[in-house]
């Protein structure tokens, strides 16, 4: 069983090798604007998962996924050649969900901003339901304090 540091180093190296190979050697017209975002290797260094994003619509994403699957053999052999490990890990390409999550968060933030603007618009010119200053304050005249002290000594 390999240690986690070695798996992380191998994952980082696989990410770089796959990105460079896609840029330089793979000439598939189906391959769109692909960005390799992350790579993870199992603890036994046998399987590598490569996360990617594609700029474009669903059709371009599907075409790029097919191109990556067809180029998997070339990419794996290049990873094996450049990393020098005894067993070249198998590659699995997974579309990264980060852009979709970011888009969802942006939509939720836009909704929150619009609701805040509605509340701000409704509350403009309104006053509080109670007094302007709802906190109790000590009385200004000192007569009550003196009588309290006098009563306590008696």
């Amino acid at each position: 069983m390999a240690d986690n540091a070695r798996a992380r180093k191998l994952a980082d190296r696989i990410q770089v090798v796959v990105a460079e190979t896609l840029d330089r050697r793979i000439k598939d017209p189906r391959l769109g604007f692909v960005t390799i975002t992350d790579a993870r290797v199992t603890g036994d260094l046998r399987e590598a998962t490569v996360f990617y994003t594609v700029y474009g619509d669903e059709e371009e994403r599907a075409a790029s996924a097919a191109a990556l699957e067809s180029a998997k053999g070339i990419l794996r052999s290049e990873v094996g050649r450049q990393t020098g490990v005894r067993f070249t890990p198998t590659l699995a390409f997974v579309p990264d969900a980060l852009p979709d999550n970011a888009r969802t968060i942006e939509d939720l933030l836009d909704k929150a901003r619009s609701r805040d603007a509605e509340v701000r618009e409704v509350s403009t010119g309104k006053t509080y339901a109670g007094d302007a200053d709802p906190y109790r304050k000590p009385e200004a005249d000192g007569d009550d304090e003196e009588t309290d002290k006098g009563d306590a000594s008696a």
Side-chain angles (χ1 to χ4, degrees):
M1 190 82 154
D3 60 343
N4 288 336
R6 184 171 180 201
R8 280 195 304 269
K9 284 181 185 180
L10 183 61
D12 291 343
R13 185 66 188 140
I14 288 173
Q15 180 180 355
V16 170
V17 169
V18 168
E20 288 176 352
T21 305
L22 284 175
D23 188 37
R24 295 185 181 145
R25 285 189 58 193
I26 308 298
K27 303 298 180 195
D28 195 337
R30 299 176 294 175
L31 197 61
F33 292 109
V34 176
T35 303
I36 304 300
T37 56
D38 194 16
R40 295 186 185 147
V41 178
T42 58
D44 61 356
L45 307 179
R46 297 286 181 159
E47 298 172 6
T49 305
V50 180
F51 295 92
Y52 68 94
T53 59
V54 178
Y55 183 74
D57 58 357
E58 282 299 320
E59 183 179 319
E60 291 174 350
R61 290 180 189 153
S64 294
L68 286 172
E69 285 299 318
S70 68
K72 191 183 285 191
I74 296 171
L75 293 171
R76 184 173 181 221
S77 64
E78 191 66 26
V79 165
R81 190 178 68 76
Q82 289 193 24
T83 57
V85 292
R86 180 177 292 173
F87 179 81
T88 303
T90 59
L91 300 178
F93 291 98
V94 177
D96 198 355
L98 184 68
D100 296 332
N101 291 342
R103 192 174 308 114
T104 303
I105 290 172
E106 285 297 323
D107 292 342
L108 291 173
L109 288 173
D110 288 341
K111 286 180 185 177
R113 283 187 200 107
S114 67
R115 288 182 183 166
D116 286 348
E118 290 174 6
V119 168
R120 192 176 307 113
E121 183 179 312
V122 168
S123 66
T124 304
K126 304 291 180 179
T127 59
Y128 293 105
D131 295 334
D133 189 12
Y135 299 104
R136 293 184 184 177
K137 297 207 168 116
E139 294 185 21
D141 53 4
D143 297 335
D144 292 337
E145 291 178 12
E146 290 177 8
T147 58
D148 289 343
K149 290 179 184 176
D151 292 339
S153 61

